[in-house]
């Protein structure tokens, strides 16, 4: 075996993050958090285009003000997408089973979004081992903006 | 005149006709799942997962090719820019329902919950269609935003073969705004802009600390006695690095001045009189002159400093016209 081959064997397959091991996960374990931002209005425009969600409240400042808000604000689904990114950076995208959130506070331009998750429960369902995670996003003041649950399956 | 109670009964009777109804025609993705839109999405999030972005790496991985982020589920069927147009689509019962609420004064709308489940991840070439059903409408609830109704919808996403790829529930609150949103009130009075902060370091922090303790300090060379300002580590006259301080009485005369009108930096009041003052002890100091009309400032004018907290974290020696003979 050449040294090149050895190195290849040791590298995880690209696109497949070194997967956490179901056996060693413990309730309370926290995933490496993901920090985004400060969010810019341009990013909201970009997200509107990428997601197809052109609700004007997120991109049209006069419209947002006429609706009683001080400015445009981030799509709740953008913060949810950050949670999606957090989870699919942690496990292979095909292991994500469910992601559900409550939108509990608004994220404003200039805010930082920190996506976090902790292991809440280990169980079996539909013939596979699963981990339920408490997931949330918080802003720069530690205030929760999304609160929810995710389920990840392990082969 | 109809009593509010009757109005609510009438409203709720009409609401009931929407429960279980399709929100509109099937939402057919305008384009198949493709790498370009995935890249746009990842760009918006700054997600760099190679399984979504790097064709070669993805092909070499266990995926065998690019895949789409699970959270993009709904993105494949949203209609895009037409969402921002008010024109009513006669077939869209969800919009009709919202319009019914609007007409009853429930003009506010806020998303409160979203849940997604993924049966399989999507790959370039998949064609996604969403079927959305208005699943339930709550009774009237009192909420922090105002009283209103929760509307639950459920969207089932299918691929080109009719196989389910995932589902999503979405809950919105349609409410009568009780008051400006709490967040708007919080933001209505933005914090007052503050003056620029000094750049603090080992060689000058002591001078600013002195101000916070109510003392205008002057640095003095311990070797030759030369006074100096602004603070610096070495005497310009004898190159000694040994120094101490003396407290200034804060009195002096205007050596020079400018009146700033433009540009206006937030945190300052304009016109802003900037003075260079010869302190009686023998050094010069730049600060602001307050309580004197710009036209009345003149070179040689006697002034005295008063140390004032311009904000909770910053004290400055602001000069005023001298009020009594110095001592």
């Amino acid at each position: 075996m050449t040294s090149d081959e050895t190195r290849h064997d040791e590298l995880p397959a690209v696109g497949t993050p070194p997967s956490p091991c179901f056996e060693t996960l413990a309730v309370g374990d926290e995933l490496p958090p993901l920090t985004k931002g400060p969010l810019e209005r341009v990013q909201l425009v970009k997200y509107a285009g990428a997601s197809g969600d052109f609700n004007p409240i997120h991109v049209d400042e006069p419209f947002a003000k006429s609706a009683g808000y001080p400015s445009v604000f981030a799509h709740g689904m953008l913060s949810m997408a950050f949670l999606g990114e957090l989870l699919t950076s942690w496990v292979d995208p095909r292991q994500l089973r469910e992601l559900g959130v409550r939108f509990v506070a608004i994220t404003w331009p200039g805010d930082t979004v920190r996506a976090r998750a902790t292991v809440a429960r280990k169980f079996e369902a539909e013939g596979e081992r699963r981990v339920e995670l408490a997931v949330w996003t918080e802003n720069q003041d530690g205030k929760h903006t999304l609160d929810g649950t995710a389920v990840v399956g392990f082969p | 005149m109809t009593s509010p109670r009757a109005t609510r009964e009438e409203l709720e009777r009409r609401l009931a006709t929407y429960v279980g109804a399709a929100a509109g025609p099937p939402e057919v993705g305008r384009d198949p799942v493709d790498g370009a839109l995935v890249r746009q999405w990842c760009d918006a999030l700054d997600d760099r997962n190679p399984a979504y972005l790097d064709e070669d790496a993805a092909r070499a991985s266990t995926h065998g090719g690019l895949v789409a982020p699970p959270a993009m589920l709904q993105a494949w069927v949203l209609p895009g820019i037409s969402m921002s147009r008010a024109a009513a689509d006669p077939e869209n019962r969800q919009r009709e329902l919202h319009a019914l609420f609007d007409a009853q004064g429930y003009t506010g709308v806020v998303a409160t919950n979203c849940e997604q489940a993924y049966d399989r991840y999507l790959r370039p070439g998949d064609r996604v269609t969403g079927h959305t059903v208005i699943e339930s409408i709550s009774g009237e609830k009192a909420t922090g935003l105002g009283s209103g109704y929760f509307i639950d919808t459920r969207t089932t996403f299918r691929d080109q073969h009719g196989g389910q790829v995932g589902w999503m529930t979405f809950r919105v609150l349609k409410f009568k705004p009780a008051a400006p949103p709490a967040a708007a009130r919080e933001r209505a009075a933005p914090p007052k802009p503050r003056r620029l902060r000094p750049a603090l370091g080992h060689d000058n922090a002591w001078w600013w600390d002195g101000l916070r303790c109510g003392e205008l300090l002057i640095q003095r060379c311990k070797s030759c006695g030369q006074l100096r300002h602004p603070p610096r580590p070495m005497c310009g006259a004898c190159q000694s690095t040994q120094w101490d301080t003396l407290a200034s009485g804060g009195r002096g005369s205007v050596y020079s001045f400018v009146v700033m009108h433009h540009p206006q930096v937030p945190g300052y009041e304009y016109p802003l009189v900037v003075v260079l003052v010869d302190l009686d002890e023998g050094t010069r100091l730049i600060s602001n002159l307050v309580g004197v009309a710009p036209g009345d400032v003149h070179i040689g004018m006697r002034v005295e400093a008063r140390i004032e907290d311009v904000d909770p974290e910053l004290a400055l020696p602001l000069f005023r016209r001298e009020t009594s003979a110095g001592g």
Side-chain angles (χ1 to χ4, degrees):
Chain A
M1 186 190 266
T2 70
S3 58
D4 271 356
E5 279 166 344
T6 311
R7 217 166 53 228
H8 270 279
D9 285 348
E10 283 166 5
L11 283 175
V14 177
T16 313
S19 223
C21 167
F22 181 84
E23 286 79 7
T24 58
L25 283 175
V27 170
D29 284 357
E30 178 164 6
L31 277 59
L34 181 70
T35 303
K36 297 287 183 170
L39 297 190
E40 297 167 1
R41 284 172 173 76
V42 170
Q43 192 169 8
L44 305 189
V45 171
K46 182 84 196 176
Y47 179 76
S51 69
D53 185 346
F54 271 97
N55 186 331
I57 202 119
H58 303 301
V59 290
D60 181 340
E61 195 94 10
F63 179 91
K65 286 185 170 159
S66 73
Y69 294 96
S71 75
V72 295
F73 54 90
H75 304 72
M77 297 299 275
L78 173 58
S79 294
M80 186 164 169
F82 289 145
L83 285 172
E85 182 186 341
L86 170 75
L87 296 164
T88 64
S89 307
W90 182 60
V91 292
D92 184 296
R94 79 189 93 178
Q95 288 175 250
L96 184 57
R97 300 282 172 266
E98 286 179 34
L99 174 57
V101 298
R102 265 184 331 119
F103 304 110
V104 294
I106 289 178
T107 298
W108 302 97
D111 283 357
T112 299
V113 179
R114 204 165 153 81
R116 302 181 64 179
T118 57
V119 174
R121 187 162 73 95
K122 297 168 74 173
F123 63 108
E124 285 194 21
E126 297 178 41
E128 69 173 359
R129 298 176 301 174
R130 291 185 169 176
V131 167
E132 181 182 299
L133 299 131
V135 297
W136 72 98
T137 54
E138 60 189 31
N139 68 13
Q140 61 282 0
D141 303 322
K143 184 183 169 82
H144 286 215
T145 50
L146 262 58
D147 265 323
T149 303
V151 175
V152 170
F154 285 82
Chain B
M1 187 177 162
T2 325
S3 76
R5 178 70 197 160
T7 305
R8 187 192 300 179
E9 279 170 2
E10 167 65 16
L11 173 66
E12 292 186 354
R13 205 168 46 74
R14 289 180 64 188
L15 293 179
T17 67
Y18 287 87
V19 176
E27 303 133 48
V28 182
R30 290 185 297 174
D31 297 293
V33 173
D34 81 323
L37 197 53
V38 168
R39 279 194 293 280
Q40 297 287 334
W41 171 278
C42 289
D43 206 15
L45 266 66
D46 194 24
D47 185 344
R48 298 171 194 176
N49 194 328
Y52 306 147
L53 296 169
D54 186 335
E55 182 105 47
D56 293 337
R59 198 178 300 118
S61 76
T62 58
H63 302 293
L66 288 176
V67 303
M72 275 191 86
L73 189 57
Q74 189 194 21
W76 301 113
V77 303
L78 278 177
I81 199 80
S82 66
M83 280 180 75
S84 67
R85 301 196 181 117
D89 173 355
E91 288 188 86
N92 190 327
R93 296 211 79 198
Q94 199 171 349
R95 282 205 167 180
E96 190 184 293
L97 174 60
H98 281 222
L100 173 61
F101 276 117
D102 290 341
Q104 298 292 321
Y106 298 88
T107 53
V109 62
V110 63
T112 64
N113 299 69
C114 176
E115 194 170 337
Q116 296 185 337
Y118 315 104
D119 293 294
R120 73 169 178 89
Y121 60 16
L122 294 164
R123 291 175 169 283
D126 279 330
R127 299 207 73 113
V128 183
T129 302
H131 294 82
T132 301
V133 173
I134 299 167
E135 221 175 24
S136 65
I137 303 174
S138 72
E140 186 159 19
K141 307 279 184 195
T143 77
L145 294 167
S147 110
Y149 293 81
F150 289 97
I151 306 168
D152 284 305
T153 57
R154 172 180 287 266
T155 306
T156 307
F157 298 91
R158 298 187 182 282
D159 63 16
Q160 59 277 20
H161 310 297
Q164 180 173 310
V165 295
W167 54 257
M168 177 177 89
T169 59
F170 206 81
R171 172 178 288 181
V172 299
L173 171 69
K174 279 296 284 174
F175 62 97
K176 276 185 181 163
R185 287 198 301 276
E186 277 171 31
R187 298 242 159 177
K192 207 175 151 217
R194 292 180 168 192
R195 284 176 175 247
L196 299 174
R197 306 288 97 176
L200 297 181
H202 172 265
D203 294 327
N204 70 343
W206 58 268
W207 189 80
W208 296 92
D209 288 344
L211 290 175
R212 297 195 65 181
C213 300
E215 281 193 315
L216 176 57
L217 298 175
I218 301 177
Q219 200 174 16
R220 176 171 55 196
C221 177
K222 270 173 102 165
S223 169
C224 71
Q226 177 93 12
L227 302 180
R228 61 183 192 257
H229 187 85
R232 47 194 181 272
M234 184 184 284
C235 175
C238 75
Q239 285 74 53
S240 166
T241 54
Q242 302 300 307
W243 54 269
D244 61 6
T245 62
L246 62 98
S248 166
R251 291 171 189 272
S253 54
V254 173
Y255 176 78
S256 183
F257 69 98
V258 292
V259 181
M260 292 277 301
H261 296 275
H262 183 84
Q264 298 201 348
V265 178
Y268 297 79
E269 286 176 17
Y270 291 86
L272 178 68
V273 182
V274 182
V275 284
L276 183 54
V277 173
D278 269 330
L279 291 175
D280 291 347
E281 288 83 3
T283 49
R284 284 191 188 137
L285 175 67
I286 295 181
S287 187
N288 298 137
L289 181 66
V290 297
V292 180
D296 294 341
V297 186
H298 58 90
I299 287 171
M301 176 178 183
R302 289 292 298 170
V303 292
E304 63 183 333
R306 192 188 299 167
I307 296 169
E308 295 182 29
D309 290 328
V310 296
D311 64 50
E313 285 151 23
L314 185 64
L316 291 176
L318 298 181
F319 286 95
R320 294 163 187 276
R321 193 190 295 275
E322 188 176 50
T323 51
S324 57

